């Protein structure tokens, strides 16, 4: 009886997330092949070699080369190297890595949605998992791009925001410690300076929001909590942060900076990509404009140009915007709605409206050159804010329906996320590209 009571308390949606993620990676690796890309290479061919290359600040390849911030990948490659040394094949190690990425992102966004909107049902909150996994931004920028640090950061971001907001709500510093510990577990994400900045900008937004909308007596705690989060994060990650500072003082950094931070060249890239990928009509649907037009090289994306699919995409946008209009006074809606609007504003680059603000900032603040492709980096915040809002929008829609119609609406939306958005994942088409091999 005790065992039955224990299992009855388990959230069935967590089991579904677990099972679906296992099925996905089983489909992807059914042929026993390692996957890799031109920019990423094939790191899972030999995690032992990767660990050797990134275990210290100086690698011996290319006649000696500073690893600088890539040393943040060391803990991950150490674990993967141990698995290789006990005889586990590379494709299984990669399958485990991607499974944990799916699991982390799924659990993170599910609990984040419930943290902000506890009034919605668990089944409705589960839709946030499918949304976060299969949305068009994730398809292109996380899975098709296939850079490991992109996937790890995509999983870490909702977990970090969840812990921060729960710490704000409960006034417990244990959540600040957990953020630091999870940043260590997901340290692979810290191999990109842009992701570190986005991580702290999201937490800074959360702190600022709580300062403005929290009770006056809680504002001191908000400041203390944020400072403690940053301090503990800095201490627990000092092992790679000090390597970055050492590299900044090295002569080779000056040479790299001189070639990488060229305002004219980076601005031209920023301008072109903003106007190609930063159109509101695409961003509101979380779509990469160029990718979904490339029917010549990837004929399967043509499905997403069908007028009915386009119409339904705008309905999804309407569901996201619905709570912003109807429930705009609610704390969670104000927070996520503000984050959604900011993500749209920055992801569009210097495209109208008000693109001149980002344009001037980009020219005068050299660190913003890290975001010369706004969609690629800043776009990570877009599904983070969209998924919870989408679930609340669905809840509001279902709440106005009769008992039978509720189930129909839910399963139509579930089908959209699972089949229409999910089809490229279930068929492995998400990993195809114009290049060879696909």
């Amino acid at each position: 009886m005790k065992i039955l009571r224990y299992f009855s308390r388990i959230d069935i949606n967590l089991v579904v997330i677990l099972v679906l993620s296992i099925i996905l990676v089983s489909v992807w690796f059914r042929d026993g092949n390692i996957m890799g890309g031109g920019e990423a290479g094939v790191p899972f061919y030999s995690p032992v070699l990767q660990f050797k290359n990134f275990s210290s600040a100086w690698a011996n390849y290319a006649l000696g080369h500073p690893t600088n911030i890539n040393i943040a990948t060391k803990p991950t490659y150490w674990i993967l190297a141990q698995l290789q040394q006990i005889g586990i094949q590379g494709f299984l190690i990669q399958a485990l890595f991607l499974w944990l990425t799916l699991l982390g992102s799924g659990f993170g966004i599910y609990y984040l949605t419930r943290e902000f909107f506890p009034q919605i049902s668990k089944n409705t909150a589960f839709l946030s998992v499918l949304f976060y996994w299969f949305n068009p931004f994730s398809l292109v920028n996380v899975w098709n791009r296939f850079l490991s640090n992109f996937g790890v950061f995509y999983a870490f971001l909702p977990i970090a925001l969840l812990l921060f907001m729960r710490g704000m709500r409960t006034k417990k510093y244990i959540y600040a410690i957990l953020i630091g510990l999870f940043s260590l577990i997901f340290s692979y994400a810290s191999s990109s300076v842009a992701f570190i900045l986005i991580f702290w900008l999201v937490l800074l937004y959360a702190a600022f929001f709580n300062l403005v909308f929290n009770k006056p007596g809680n504002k001191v705690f908000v400041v203390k909590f944020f400072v403690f989060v940053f301090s503990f994060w800095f201490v627990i990650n000092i092992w790679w942060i000090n390597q970055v500072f050492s590299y900044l003082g090295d002569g080779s950094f000056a040479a790299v900076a001189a070639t990488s931070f060229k305002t004219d060249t980076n601005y031209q890239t920023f301008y072109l990509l903003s106007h190609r990928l930063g159109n509101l009509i695409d961003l509101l649907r979380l779509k990469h404009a160029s990718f979904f037009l490339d029917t010549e090289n990837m004929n399967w994306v043509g499905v997403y140009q069908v007028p009915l699919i386009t119409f339904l995409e705008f309905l999804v946008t309407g569901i996201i915007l619905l709570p912003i209009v109807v429930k705009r006074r609610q704390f969670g809606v104000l927070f996520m709605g503000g984050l959604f609007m900011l993500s749209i504003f920055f992801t569009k680059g210097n495209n109208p409206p008000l693109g001149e603000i980002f344009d001037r900032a980009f020219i005068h603040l050299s660190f913003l050159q890290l975001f010369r492709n706004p969609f690629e980096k800043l776009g990570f915040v877009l599904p983070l804010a969209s998924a919870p809002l989408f679930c609340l929008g669905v809840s509001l829609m279902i709440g106005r329906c009769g008992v039978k119609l509720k189930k129909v609406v839910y399963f139509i939306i579930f089908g959209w996320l699972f089949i229409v958005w999910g089809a490229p994942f279930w068929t492995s088409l998400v990993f195809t590209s114009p290049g060879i091999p696909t």
Side-chain angles (χ1 to χ4, degrees), residues 333-345:
V333 175
L334 280 172
F335 183 98
M336 284 299 179
L339 191 61
F340 177 77
M341 295 302 180
L342 284 172
S343 65
I344 290 286
F345 176 79

Side-chain angles (χ1 to χ4, degrees), residues 75-86:
T76 302
Y77 282 128
W78 182 84
I79 295 172
L80 300 181
Q82 304 310 305
L83 296 177
Q84 183 187 1
Q85 288 178 331
I86 62 174

